[in-house]
Amino acid sequence: MSTTELRSDTPAPGAVADVDWWRGAAIYQVYPRSFADQNGDGTGDLAGVRARLPYLRDLGIDAIWFTPWYPSPMADGGYDVADYRSIDPLFGDLAEAERLISEALEFGIRTIIDVVPNHVSDQHAWFRAALVAGPDSPERERFWFRDGRGEHGELPPNGWESEFGGQAWSRVIGADGVPEQWYLHLFAPGQPDLNWGHPDVLREHEEILRFWFDRGVCGIRIDSAALVAKDADLPEVADEHHPGNHPYVDRDELQGIYRSWRVIAESYGPERVLIGEIWLPDAERFARYLRPDVLHSAFNFDFMASPWDATALRASIEQTLDVHAKVGAPATWVLSNHDVTRPVTRYGRVDTSFSFDAKRFGTPTDLALGTRRARAAALLAMALPGAYYLYQGEELGLPEVEDLPLHLIDDPMHARSGGVDPGRDGCRIPLPWSGNRPPYGFSPNGHRGETWLPQPADWAAFTAQAQAMDAASMLSLYRDALRLRRDLPALGSGSLSWRDLGPDVLAFARDDGFVSVTNFSGGPVDLPAFDRIWLTSAPLEGGRLPADASAWLEST
Ligand code: GLC
C-alpha cells in the first residue's frame, strides 16, 4: 500500500465515506494477543486478524480498535510501548499492519489504534537514555525523576499510589549497584510516566499521530487520557481537590494538549477521530473533554459499571445523554473491554456493578442468569443513541475465566495486589473459533502447543463455528442486532424519548417508531402495542416479555 493513497482528503471507499461515521458506529475491540494465531506460536497476530476480516464484516461492525500492537516487553499487555513506529514481532511487522488497515477498509471496516501518552516502556529509547545519563540530565527531564526523601533518599518522593497497587515510585539502582533517584510510574514499574511539561513529549506524540494517520488509521484511542498531566510540584493527594487541580487526575492543562491533537486529526479530515479512555465520576468534568475542539468521543464507563437495575441504568443513561447533548458529542455505550469482568459473569452475581477494587477470587456466579441479562443488556445498549463498543468474545458470550493457574497469571494487577485481585487475564483468554478442544481453532490445525493463556476444556459450545449454526446463540443475537443497527436509520446517533411502562421496565422510542423495551422486574410484562417485533433477547412467554429480557419493536 502506498501511504499517500489513504491520506487526508482521499475519500474512503464505499460505505465508510461518511464523515460522521463515528457518531453511531459499532466498534469492535481486538486484543491482538488473544484474537487469532496464524503462525502457530500460541499468541494471536495480525495475520490472524487479516484471516478473520470476513467474520468481522459478517458481524456488522464499522471499525476495529486494536489495543497496543507495538514492540513491548509486555509488562502490561503491550500498554508499555517501546517503539511507536513499529509492530511487535509477536504480532507481525509494519508492512503487515499497513496491509491489514487497507484490507479492512476494503471490507468497509476502519482502524482505530491505541496511543498511551501517560507512559512508555522502561525499554523505550528515551528511558534507557535517561537511566544512562544520570541525575539532573536533560534526558531525565522527559520523565519524573526525583531524589528520595529521608536521610539517604530511601523514601519515595511522595506518597502517590500506583493504579495497580503499591507505591507509584521505583528507585533506580546505578551501574555500580548504588541506589540513586526514584522515577514515577502511575501503573507498573515497567511503565515510567512521561513529563507532559516537556516540549519533546508533546512533539513526539504529534509525530506519532501523524505517523499512523498517514498509514490510514481513522481513529486514536487515548489510553488513561485523564491522568497524563501532573502538577510539577508533585504535592500529596488530599481528600478534596478543586476540579482541575488534583495532582494528576483530570488537570485543566489536558484540554490544551488534546486541542493540539484535535488540530492534527482535523488536518487529515473530519472522519479522523480521537477517543478518550476517561474514568471520571463527575459527568460534567467528563464532558469537558468532548467539547467540539477537544476529543470527539470517550468511553462511557458509568453505564458499564452500573448494576443491572432499571433505576440505576436509567439515571446513568439520562445523565449521559444530558451532558453529551450540552457539548454536541455523541454518547458511547460499552459493556466490556480488556480490563473488566466479562458481562455474562458480572450480571450473574449478587453485586452486578463493576469496580476494580471489588474483584475477588471465588465470587459466586449464576452464568445462566448472567447470560440472559447480558443478552438483554446488549439490545438495550445497542438501541441507545450513539456509538457502541464491543470487546472480542462479548459476541460469543464468553464468561470470565476465573480458575487460571496462579503461576500463569500475567497481569501486573494480580501480583501488585499481593495476589488478592485476580487481575484481568480472565477476560483475555484466546478466542475459541472452532472444534471441540483447545486451541479451538485459535492456533492453526494440528497445533499442539499451549496458547499464551490456557483455554478452558469446556468451551466447545462457545466457538464462533458452533454459534454461527445456532439461531439462539449469543453470536446470532449480536449479528442480528448489529445488522439492524446498520439497516434501521432510527438506530445509531440521534435522540430518544422515554415510554413509561413502570419502574422496573426501561422503554424508549427512537425515530420511525422504533421502540426498545427491557424488563428488569422479576416476572413477565406486557409489551406496548406493536406492528412488528424486530428482535428479542429471549422468546416471549405467552406474548409477554420475560424477566431479564429486551425486545426491539416497531410501534407506530
Ligand atoms: C488503560 C488500559 C489498561 C492499562 C492501563 C495502563 O486503563 O485499558 O489495560 O493497563 O491503561 O496503560
Side-chain angles (χ1 to χ4, degrees):
M1 183 197 77
S2 129
T3 52
T4 45
E5 268 167 34
L6 288 168
R7 269 202 76 139
S8 49
D9 35 351
T10 315
V16 290
D18 174 12
V19 295
D20 279 335
W21 68 275
W22 50 279
R23 290 185 166 266
I27 298 169
Y28 185 94
Q29 180 190 354
V30 167
Y31 193 76
R33 229 176 166 185
S34 299
F35 186 72
D37 165 27
Q38 195 80 355
N39 69 0
D41 63 358
T43 293
D45 45 45
L46 301 191
V49 182
R50 290 175 61 207
R52 306 288 177 177
L53 285 173
Y55 169 85
L56 295 174
R57 176 202 52 208
D58 294 347
L59 187 57
I61 57 148
D62 301 300
I64 304 173
W65 149 36
F66 290 95
T67 57
W69 54 13
Y70 321 102
S72 165
M74 303 282 168
D76 180 21
Y79 282 94
D80 45 325
V81 179
D83 173 10
Y84 273 105
R85 293 171 180 78
S86 185
I87 297 292
D88 195 287
L90 270 176
F91 302 144
D93 58 21
L94 187 57
E96 179 129 52
E98 291 181 343
R99 275 198 294 278
L100 172 52
I101 293 165
S102 62
E103 284 173 6
L105 266 185
E106 284 163 22
F107 282 99
I109 297 173
R110 297 170 187 269
T111 296
I112 295 167
I113 54 154
D114 220 312
V115 168
V116 190
N118 184 66
H119 46 264
V120 288
S121 161
D122 62 357
Q123 298 306 308
H124 188 282
W126 279 6
F127 193 74
R128 291 160 69 118
L131 288 184
V132 172
D136 303 322
S137 60
E139 287 84 351
R140 287 205 173 180
E141 286 170 15
R142 294 174 178 144
F143 298 91
W144 296 103
F145 282 91
R146 291 288 185 277
D147 294 335
R149 293 172 299 167
E151 203 181 333
H152 306 289
E154 70 280 12
L155 298 171
N158 68 23
W160 294 5
E161 286 172 18
S162 157
E163 301 286 315
F164 288 163
Q167 62 195 25
W169 296 91
S170 288
R171 196 166 188 191
V172 178
I173 308 295
D176 51 6
V178 179
E180 41 120 315
Q181 285 193 302
W182 297 72
Y183 68 91
L184 175 70
H185 52 83
L186 285 184
F187 293 91
Q191 297 169 294
D193 278 43
L194 288 165
N195 170 10
W196 275 82
H198 196 295
D200 284 0
V201 175
L202 196 66
R203 200 175 316 118
E204 168 68 1
H205 283 79
E206 292 182 352
E207 282 172 20
I208 292 166
L209 298 190
R210 290 202 178 90
F211 181 90
W212 286 103
F213 281 144
D214 283 346
R215 280 163 180 75
V217 313
C218 283
I220 309 284
R221 181 259 188 192
I222 307 169
D223 185 77
S224 304
L227 301 180
V228 169
K230 315 279 160 17
D231 181 336
D233 294 336
L234 305 178
E236 294 297 345
V237 176
D239 290 342
E240 297 255 338
H241 287 282
H242 287 299
N245 200 28
H246 183 282
Y248 60 84
V249 180
D250 181 32
R251 289 183 62 77
D252 282 337
E253 57 264 39
L254 285 170
Q255 305 290 322
I257 294 171
Y258 298 133
R259 280 198 177 99
S260 71
W261 289 29
R262 179 70 176 244
V263 171
I264 294 170
E266 300 271 347
S267 75
Y268 283 81
E271 75 278 15
R272 312 286 179 124
V273 298
L274 304 171
I275 305 148
E277 188 214 10
I278 299 174
W279 295 82
L280 284 182
D282 181 335
E284 304 279 347
R285 292 289 303 179
F286 173 91
R288 292 178 80 244
Y289 291 82
L290 304 180
R291 290 175 291 175
D293 59 343
V294 194
L295 305 181
H296 295 77
S297 185
F299 298 100
N300 179 359
F301 294 123
D302 187 71
F303 177 81
M304 186 196 72
S306 290
W308 183 248
D309 171 82
T311 308
L313 283 167
R314 177 160 174 166
S316 178
I317 293 165
E318 284 182 340
Q319 173 174 268
T320 297
L321 295 177
D322 180 49
V323 300
H324 284 75
K326 285 183 188 152
V327 291
T332 66
W333 310 100
V334 185
L335 295 175
S336 68
N337 65 31
H338 65 296
D339 292 330
V340 305
T341 311
R342 291 275 192 190
V344 300
T345 301
R346 213 167 67 220
Y347 289 141
R349 293 182 163 166
V350 171
D351 180 359
T352 49
S353 65
F354 177 77
S355 99
F356 286 106
D357 296 343
K359 283 189 77 179
R360 290 293 176 270
F361 287 103
T363 310
T365 304
D366 177 344
L367 272 185
L369 178 65
T371 302
R372 205 180 155 75
R373 291 174 170 168
R375 292 172 63 90
L379 292 199
L380 166 65
M382 283 194 234
L384 289 165
Y388 184 69
Y389 282 83
L390 64 155
Y391 169 52
Q392 67 180 42
E394 178 185 321
E395 81 280 19
L396 302 176
L398 296 183
E400 186 84 1
V401 173
E402 303 190 276
D403 56 357
L404 283 170
L406 295 183
H407 70 281
L408 294 181
I409 297 184
D410 191 59
D411 178 15
M413 272 190 129
H414 172 63
R416 287 187 67 88
S417 73
V420 173
D421 180 333
R424 300 164 294 178
D425 286 352
C427 67
R428 300 173 176 180
I429 304 299
L431 289 192
W433 290 96
S434 58
N436 292 318
R437 67 182 76 87
Y440 302 106
F442 172 78
S443 294
N445 278 345
H447 176 77
R448 297 251 179 277
E450 295 284 309
T451 49
W452 78 275
L453 286 174
Q455 299 163 304
D458 61 354
W459 268 15
F462 286 108
T463 66
Q465 185 187 49
Q467 296 200 38
M469 292 180 290
D470 174 5
S473 69
M474 189 70 97
L475 179 58
S476 296
L477 180 77
Y478 269 71
R479 280 187 177 161
D480 290 347
L482 289 166
R483 196 186 50 244
L484 284 167
R485 265 180 72 94
R486 290 196 142 193
D487 290 351
L488 300 178
L491 292 177
S493 62
S495 57
L496 65 69
S497 52
W498 292 102
R499 295 276 179 93
D500 184 10
L501 294 183
D504 293 326
V505 178
L506 284 189
F508 55 87
R510 307 288 312 268
D511 292 339
D512 301 328
F514 179 96
V515 172
S516 172
V517 183
T518 304
N519 178 10
F520 294 83
S521 75
V525 294
D526 289 330
L527 288 169
F530 58 84
D531 305 322
R532 74 187 277 177
I533 296 179
W534 290 114
L535 191 60
T536 61
S537 66
L540 298 186
E541 288 172 6
R544 307 180 83 206
L545 184 66
D548 297 314
S550 292
W552 283 2
L553 311 171
E554 185 175 81
S555 170
T556 44

